[in-house]
Amino acid sequence: MKGLDSFNLDLKQCLCELEEFENLLNSNSELKENKDILPFFKQRLHLSAFIGLYVPQIIRFNQIKHEFTFYGDFRADLVVGDSINNTYCFIEFEDATEDSIFLHKGRSTSDWSPRFEHGFSQIIDWFWKIDDFKSTTSARSIFGSENIEFYGILVIGRDAFISPIDKARLTWRLNKVLVDSRKVICITFDQLARDIRDRLSLYPLIFEAESRAEQVISTDESDRSSS
């Protein structure tokens, strides 16, 4: 079984790939997992790696793998990790279509979609497999440690297809249902694009603040030396 690949995140390249992602969403009302979504992300490693932003312990985004196989039984569409903090997120992509999360059958309450249930169940199986193999030589050879923190992310659906009441149902389910005491993060593709855009927008502010701080320190040191 292949391990993860080392990776160096480039924020400028990530921004370029984000713009391509936004264009993809704007030009298509629906997207299919195998036809549209998986090929798109496999060709955009920096955007893929930055999905790890949802996990606070993932700071370096320095490990990545598309189509990661779990000990021969299961496969994650994407894994992103921080090898220093021993923290990883396992990502499942599903369709971005009208019936990806809910099925509308003319009743007042929509049914949960088989597509959503399949994606959620995939993550449950991943968690079981990781826990089952956590103290093995195989686990240490892949992650470098038998004590890793791990999270599951399900990316599915589009905002336009979810009514306010169904959005509330989805939020309640994700907040209340835990898998091995862990929440499963579930986001639409639209939310993913917005969150990445918002996070990237913070970096210029950070760099600007650091520059101002350096200027203040330099000025103070000059004043002290002149006096």
Side-chain angles (χ1 to χ4, degrees), residues 26-86:
N26 291 334
S27 58
N28 296 273
S29 60
E30 295 188 327
L31 297 167
K32 290 292 187 178
E33 176 189 356
N34 292 320
K35 177 178 178 290
D36 305 306
I37 296 166
L38 295 183
F40 181 88
F41 280 95
K42 285 180 70 175
Q43 295 173 10
R44 293 162 178 83
L45 294 182
H46 298 272
L47 181 68
S48 297
F50 207 62
I51 298 176
L53 70 90
Y54 292 96
V55 180
Q57 297 95 322
I58 295 181
I59 299 172
R60 297 163 186 84
F61 309 93
N62 66 354
Q63 292 201 310
I64 190 172
K65 189 73 174 182
H66 281 276
E67 297 182 345
F68 174 78
T69 302
F70 285 87
Y71 311 104
D73 292 327
F74 305 105
R75 188 181 72 181
D77 291 328
L78 173 64
V79 180
V80 178
D82 183 328
S83 62
I84 304 301
N85 287 343
N86 292 324

Side-chain angles (χ1 to χ4, degrees), residues 12-215:
K12 290 184 178 179
Q13 182 61 31
C14 184
L15 180 58
C16 292
E17 295 175 0
L18 170 62
E19 291 173 350
E20 294 174 335
F21 182 39
E22 292 170 334
N23 290 335
L24 179 70
L25 294 175
N26 291 334
S27 58
N28 296 273
S29 60
E30 295 188 327
L31 297 167
K32 290 292 187 178
E33 176 189 356
N34 292 320
K35 177 178 178 290
D36 305 306
I37 296 166
L38 295 183
F40 181 88
F41 280 95
K42 285 180 70 175
Q43 295 173 10
R44 293 162 178 83
L45 294 182
H46 298 272
L47 181 68
S48 297
F50 207 62
I51 298 176
L53 70 90
Y54 292 96
V55 180
Q57 297 95 322
I58 295 181
I59 299 172
R60 297 163 186 84
F61 309 93
N62 66 354
Q63 292 201 310
I64 190 172
K65 189 73 174 182
H66 281 276
E67 297 182 345
F68 174 78
T69 302
F70 285 87
Y71 311 104
D73 292 327
F74 305 105
R75 188 181 72 181
D77 291 328
L78 173 64
V79 180
V80 178
D82 183 328
S83 62
I84 304 301
N85 287 343
N86 292 324
T87 303
Y88 300 85
C89 64
F90 299 85
I91 299 156
E92 170 73 6
F93 294 114
E94 291 287 348
D95 287 346
T97 62
E98 185 173 2
D99 59 357
S100 292
I101 302 177
F102 294 101
L103 294 178
H104 307 284
K105 295 184 175 181
R107 302 184 304 161
S108 58
T109 303
S110 305
D111 291 338
W112 291 96
S113 167
R115 198 80 192 182
F116 178 86
E117 299 290 8
H118 172 266
F120 200 90
S121 296
Q122 284 273 90
I123 293 175
I124 293 174
D125 284 332
W126 299 346
F127 282 9
W128 164 71
K129 203 68 175 180
I130 294 170
D131 190 59
D132 195 41
F133 274 76
K134 64 182 180 181
S135 298
T136 66
T137 302
S138 295
R140 287 191 293 272
S141 67
I142 296 169
F143 301 108
S145 173
E146 61 186 45
N147 298 311
I148 68 169
E149 285 297 320
F150 54 92
Y151 297 79
I153 299 178
L154 175 60
V155 189
I156 183 171
R158 300 292 306 265
D159 287 352
F161 300 131
I162 307 176
S163 68
I165 186 64
D166 284 340
K167 177 65 174 177
R169 291 171 63 200
L170 177 63
T171 301
W172 187 92
R173 175 173 177 168
L174 297 174
N175 286 336
K176 298 295 184 180
V177 177
L178 301 179
V179 180
D180 192 24
S181 301
R182 305 170 191 271
K183 287 185 179 180
V184 175
I185 301 165
C186 179
I187 49 175
T188 65
F189 287 91
D190 303 281
Q191 185 66 53
L192 176 63
R194 287 195 302 273
D195 290 345
I196 292 177
R197 170 68 65 180
D198 289 344
R199 181 63 65 88
L200 287 175
S201 69
L202 296 177
Y203 284 95
L205 298 177
I206 295 172
F207 295 147
E208 182 181 345
E210 289 179 344
S211 178
R212 286 201 301 268
E214 291 175 355
Q215 291 176 0

